[in-house]
Amino acid sequence: MRHPVDYAPSQDFGDNPTKNLPSNHWIIVQFGNYQPDGHTGVDYPCPVGTPVRAVADGKVVHVGYYSGSYADNPYWISPGFAGYCYVVDHGSFIGIYGHCAEDGARVRLNQQVIEGQVLGLSGNTGASTGPHLHFEVLPDGYVLNSYMYGRINPATLFGAASLAPAGDIITQLEEAGMSLDTSDREFLQTVINQNADRVILDSRWQVEHWAKQVIETVKDSSYEVKAFVHGVDNANADRVIIDNRAEEAATREAAN
């Protein structure tokens, strides 16, 4: 099993229930009370055009948009919400990959795919608040007219080992054979300490790739990496670098 894209989740299963939101809340106005018990999948913020990969071996049972209403397809996928999507029968569960790019398909209907194979490209289609992949899981024996419309938490498939606390990153990097000098270690530790979110570490490649991105992007203690917050920084599909030198200067001036 692997994650569908190489980015950390921004919204987990069950987050942000809409049940008790007022009717004038922007989410209700724009999308309706579509997730009364919470988010029915996992959101992975990623730039449009990111390869979306099969989380396991399986057979493609749908590619593209759905027509009609959610009741017109066997998975209760809301056409207006999902946008351009892929549905893959992975054997013991159905995987639903939503909000993809409509011109990015790399597979066809009824095609057999293997774990890690590119299904298509991520996008921003359907009821999306910003570029990301929405991934849902329907297990064998699912009952659509039930809690979460039969969906289960995808994290139960990936296992606890697929998500590791950010504090373990440096150790895993060194175990992966990456050479870090003192300044690299200090910078990474600063970044880690500033972030309370968790980082996907389901492969050594991802650990090393993430760290290299951070180190090569900026080596300056006057910057900080801020985690993507779904629905707030929705114009940013990935982590964003924020220059806080002005803020620091203002703080020092006020202290004087």
Side-chain angles (χ1 to χ4, degrees):
M1 289 286 300
R2 57 151 294 145
H3 289 268
V5 292
D6 295 324
Y7 288 85
S10 63
Q11 186 174 186
D12 293 326
F13 183 84
D15 283 356
N16 301 330
T18 59
K19 184 180 347 186
N20 297 318
L21 293 180
S23 59
N24 63 348
H25 191 284
W26 72 269
I27 290 180
I28 302 298
V29 172
Q30 186 168 354
F31 303 122
N33 191 12
Y34 73 105
Q35 52 179 38
D37 295 311
H39 194 223
T40 56
V42 173
D43 280 353
Y44 296 86
C46 54
V48 171
T50 297
V52 175
R53 301 177 184 276
V55 299
D57 297 353
K59 179 181 179 180
V60 179
V61 295
H62 177 80
V63 175
Y65 292 99
Y66 273 108
S67 59
S69 72
Y70 70 91
D72 295 321
N73 63 75
Y75 316 109
W76 276 19
I77 296 172
S78 174
F81 171 79
Y84 195 95
C85 64
Y86 301 91
V87 182
V88 181
D89 185 344
H90 290 293
S92 60
F93 67 95
I94 300 289
I96 300 167
Y97 307 72
H99 305 316
C100 296
E102 61 184 21
D103 58 351
R106 298 291 187 270
V107 294
R108 63 185 183 280
L109 186 64
N110 296 323
Q111 180 176 338
Q112 295 289 335
V113 294
I114 61 173
E115 180 179 327
Q117 183 171 341
V118 176
L119 303 173
L121 304 178
S122 68
N124 191 27
T125 57
S128 174
T129 58
H132 71 284
L133 176 75
H134 175 85
F135 179 66
E136 296 185 347
V137 169
L138 283 168
D140 273 357
Y142 62 85
V143 178
L144 294 172
N145 191 16
S146 66
Y147 174 74
M148 291 295 193
Y149 314 106
R151 275 66 171 166
I152 64 170
N153 190 346
T156 62
L157 300 177
F158 299 128
S162 66
L163 291 176
D168 293 339
I169 290 175
I170 291 178
T171 299
Q172 293 198 32
L173 284 171
E174 293 175 334
E175 289 177 352
M178 184 174 179
S179 177
L180 296 174
D181 61 28
T182 301
S183 62
D184 288 339
R185 289 177 58 86
E186 291 177 352
F187 174 73
L188 277 176
Q189 192 61 59
T190 298
V191 172
I192 291 167
N193 291 343
Q194 289 174 343
N195 288 274
D197 64 324
R198 299 163 73 84
V199 179
I200 294 179
L201 301 176
D202 67 343
S203 72
R204 288 176 180 251
W205 176 86
Q206 282 183 283
V207 178
E208 186 167 347
H209 178 72
W210 180 84
K212 282 183 175 178
Q213 273 191 320
V214 173
I215 292 172
E216 292 171 2
T217 300
V218 57
K219 266 189 174 182
D220 188 332
S221 60
S222 68
Y223 285 77
E224 64 180 1
V225 176
K226 191 178 80 171
F228 173 93
V229 179
H230 187 74
V232 177
D233 292 326
N234 54 33
N236 301 285
D238 195 4
R239 294 178 177 276
V240 290
I241 307 295
I242 292 186
D243 186 347
N244 67 352
R245 284 178 290 188
E247 182 181 346
E248 290 177 354
T251 301
R252 286 196 298 270
E253 184 177 345
N256 295 330

